[in-house]
Amino acid sequence: MKELSLQIDRLQALENDAWAAVEHQFAGRLYAYVARRIPDQQAREDVLQEIFLGAVRGIGGFDQVYTLEQYLFGICRNRTIDHLRRRRDTTVSSSPEGVDETDPLDQMAIERSNPGSIVGERDLRTRTRSLLVQVLRDWVQETWSQGEFKRLMVVEALFLGGWRNRDTWERMGLSGERAVAGIKFRALARMRALAGQGDADRGLLEVLSEEEGAVGGAEVLLVSDEWAASHASCPARHWLARHLNGSLDEGPKSFVEFHLSKMECPWCLANLDDLEQERVAPQALIERVQASTMNYLRSRTLPQEPS
Ligand SMILES: [Zn+2]
């Protein structure tokens, strides 16, 4: 965490080296995300450039409850949506090459909100939300380290996937709806305990208790939103690498496969593409994107001409 805030300080100071390092580290996975949704090569490049320019412009408001990757993916999603909207607006008539059966915009509508959009909505960033993110992460980490992957999958399906109890028990091979309700009940109880260990926040405890047996409502959405925005259950990149080379043990393997194939997590799929070098950004493209960011940084840091 210390390391991250140090890095953020340097990025906020618009240091060239710090930004070049970030682009080097993240261009591949961001490009992979864009490439899954935008077929045109030139447009992909433009969008990648816009993402980093957007990141530079927005870094002053970076919220440290998230990671840098979540911040960048949030902007990445927004810029991709912007591009797809513009393209849809300019091509009102049918596409020349037959039917493109899935509109990427429809696909993205089901992807949940993200730090990029939340950054722009400052009033939503309450202390309660920040604490909630921490509790969700702690709970996932604890459940993972206990080897309770089935429990992790069920709770992820409910909060991140928005599955209903009655769908979940069948798809997860549980004994019935009550088994699902029981898992959810115990998970929320544990989250409340985790929330109470630090400085307990009344709002947070309410959110986590009203979840119980709730049919819907604002609280459920809040937990689901923050689960998605904080990528609470996304396995770290090294787990994805081990998934690719087939070296995962049964438990983590089942969870990672569930997360990728059933949750269809867009961020992890982009990371996976990047690791597989499938939709990898050409080196020349990365260099052009870096040049464009550097240009912008230079324009921001040069002393203004006296008028
Ligand atoms: Zn993920």
Side-chain angles (χ1 to χ4, degrees):
M1 219 50 190
K2 192 80 188 285
E3 208 174 305
L4 175 66
S5 69
L6 210 69
Q7 188 184 16
I8 298 298
D9 286 348
R10 296 188 53 211
L11 294 172
Q12 288 179 332
L14 302 182
E15 288 185 23
N16 287 359
D17 292 355
W19 278 101
V22 163
E23 287 177 337
H24 180 75
Q25 187 181 355
F26 292 101
R29 64 193 82 167
L30 295 169
Y31 180 81
Y33 178 96
V34 173
R36 271 181 179 260
R37 291 156 181 85
I38 299 177
D40 177 60
Q41 180 61 41
Q42 181 59 47
R44 288 175 181 175
E45 182 169 334
D46 293 345
V47 170
L48 194 60
Q49 243 158 32
E50 285 170 22
I51 293 166
F52 283 113
L53 290 179
V56 172
R57 289 195 197 103
I59 196 69
F62 181 82
D63 183 343
Q64 299 224 6
V65 73
Y66 299 116
T67 66
L68 197 52
E69 178 179 271
Q70 289 154 15
Y71 170 70
L72 292 169
F73 266 135
I75 296 169
C76 176
R77 176 178 181 273
N78 290 346
R79 291 298 174 276
T80 304
I81 289 177
D82 289 347
H83 170 80
L84 293 171
R85 285 214 180 105
R86 282 198 303 269
R87 196 185 66 177
R88 179 144 84 182
D89 291 346
T90 52
T91 56
V92 194
S93 53
S94 62
S95 61
E97 310 253 325
V99 192
D100 187 16
E101 74 277 12
T102 50
D103 184 337
L105 263 181
D106 294 338
Q107 180 196 344
M108 298 186 66
I110 58 172
E111 292 170 14
R112 299 292 194 123
S113 63
N114 55 85
S117 68
I118 292 169
V119 164
E121 302 165 46
R122 306 239 107 228
D123 50 325
L124 292 178
R125 283 253 48 89
T126 63
R127 179 163 177 274
T128 299
R129 275 182 180 257
S130 299
L131 292 170
L132 176 58
V133 166
Q134 198 48 55
V135 166
L136 294 177
R137 285 204 189 124
D138 289 349
W139 184 84
V140 168
Q141 202 148 40
E142 180 181 86
T143 308
W144 182 293
S145 63
Q146 289 167 346
E148 295 285 352
F149 294 100
K150 184 81 161 213
R151 187 194 302 164
L152 189 55
M153 281 185 257
V154 169
V155 174
E156 178 180 66
L158 295 172
F159 287 133
L160 183 67
W163 291 13
R164 291 171 180 281
N165 286 9
R166 66 167 171 273
D167 304 321
T168 307
W169 78 265
E170 285 188 315
R171 293 171 78 173
M172 303 298 294
L174 292 163
S175 58
E177 242 178 89
R178 285 184 61 190
V180 177
I183 290 173
K184 186 177 178 185
F185 178 85
R186 285 190 296 278
L188 285 166
R190 182 61 193 148
M191 287 176 195
R192 283 199 303 279
L194 289 169
Q197 277 170 5
D199 40 342
D201 177 90
R202 269 210 17 236
L204 178 59
L205 294 176
E206 271 166 32
V207 165
L208 291 170
S209 60
E210 287 179 32
E211 270 286 317
E212 277 172 40
V215 191
E219 291 77 19
V220 180
L221 286 178
L222 188 64
V223 175
S224 290
D225 276 358
E226 289 304 326
W227 190 299
S230 66
H231 303 193
S233 52
C234 286
R237 198 167 144 100
H238 66 90
W239 289 104
L240 297 174
R242 288 176 60 189
H243 165 74
L244 276 180
N245 68 28
S247 66
L248 284 181
D249 294 337
E250 204 46 50
K253 180 167 176 269
S254 63
F255 176 73
V256 170
E257 281 171 1
F258 179 82
H259 186 74
L260 292 170
S261 68
K262 295 293 188 286
M263 294 295 110
E264 296 181 322
C265 174
W267 326 119
C268 289
L269 287 171
N271 263 298
L272 204 65
D273 282 347
D274 181 38
L275 286 165
E276 277 180 313
Q277 307 278 300
E278 247 193 22
R279 295 175 175 84
V280 72
Q283 187 56 35
L285 187 159
I286 294 180
E287 280 164 16
R288 282 199 294 277
V289 168
Q290 289 202 328
S292 124
T293 310
M294 289 307 138
N295 257 334
Y296 179 77
L297 287 174
R298 216 166 290 134
S299 76
R300 289 291 305 273
T301 49
L302 276 182
Q304 296 294 309
E305 298 262 335
S307 52

